[in-house]
Amino acid sequence: MKKMKSLLGSMLGYGFLFGIVLLIVFVLACFGGVIMHFFGFYYESVWKLMLFFILSGLVGLPLELLAKGIPKALLAFNKISAGFARGIFFILDVLSTMVSMIVVDYFMESVSATLRSVIVIAVIIAIPSVKDIGKPKKESTEL
C-alpha cells in the first residue's frame, strides 16, 4: 500500500510538471505564432502550432549546442573578444533556428512558414540568449 501511495504521488508530481511545461510551451508557441502570422505564417490549429515549435526545438537542439559552444570555446581560448563572441553566437543562433524551422516546415503539411516569418522569430528568439555569452560562470559555494 505504501508503494502504491508513493507511485501515485510520483505520477501526480510528474503530471503536474508536465502540465506546467506544456502550458509554457503553449504560451510561447502562441506568442511566436502570432508574431509569425503577421509575416505570412499559416497553421491549421493551435495543436499543430505547438507541435511545430516543439519539433523545431528538438530538431534544432544539436545546432543550438554548436551555436553556443563555438563562441564559448573561442572565447575560452582567448581567440576572440566577448563582443565578437556575442556577434558570432547571435548569427549562429539565428541560422540554427532558421534551419530547424525550415526543416520542420518542409515536413509538416499543416503549417506553412515564409522565410520572412522564420527570420523574424529566429531573431526574436536569439536576442535574449546573447547576454549569456561572455559572462563568467558563478563559482559554487561549498559549506
Side-chain angles (χ1 to χ4, degrees):
M1 189 64 171
K2 194 174 188 178
K3 281 188 174 186
M4 187 66 158
K5 285 183 181 181
S6 175
L7 181 64
L8 185 61
S10 294
M11 286 175 53
L12 286 173
Y14 286 124
F16 181 73
L17 283 175
F18 181 74
I20 295 293
V21 168
L22 202 57
L23 180 66
I24 291 169
V25 169
F26 173 76
V27 169
L28 292 175
C30 287
F31 174 74
V34 166
I35 290 173
M36 289 176 72
H37 184 72
F38 287 123
F39 297 97
F41 182 68
Y42 167 79
Y43 54 94
E44 289 180 1
S45 66
V46 175
W47 168 245
K48 303 289 182 174
L49 176 67
M50 282 181 56
L51 188 61
F52 174 77
F53 278 96
I54 290 169
L55 291 176
S56 294
L58 291 175
V59 167
L61 186 62
L63 294 173
E64 297 285 335
L65 292 174
L66 277 174
K68 196 169 232 180
I70 291 171
K72 281 189 173 184
L74 291 172
L75 191 60
F77 289 114
N78 293 322
K79 299 293 183 187
I80 58 175
S81 67
F84 196 64
R86 286 185 190 105
I88 290 173
F89 169 72
F90 182 77
I91 292 168
L92 291 176
D93 191 37
V94 167
L95 290 174
S96 65
T97 302
M98 286 175 56
V99 167
S100 65
M101 285 188 167
I102 290 169
V103 167
V104 172
D105 175 52
Y106 179 79
F107 288 105
M108 280 186 74
E109 294 180 7
S110 57
V111 297
S112 175
T114 62
L115 183 59
R116 186 180 309 155
S117 67
V118 170
I119 291 170
V120 167
I121 201 68
V123 168
I124 290 172
I125 290 171
I127 289 172
S129 304
V130 171
K131 66 178 175 15
D132 296 336
I133 303 297
K135 281 189 176 178
K137 289 184 179 181
K138 291 183 181 178
E139 296 290 327
S140 62
T141 56
E142 301 205 16
L143 297 176

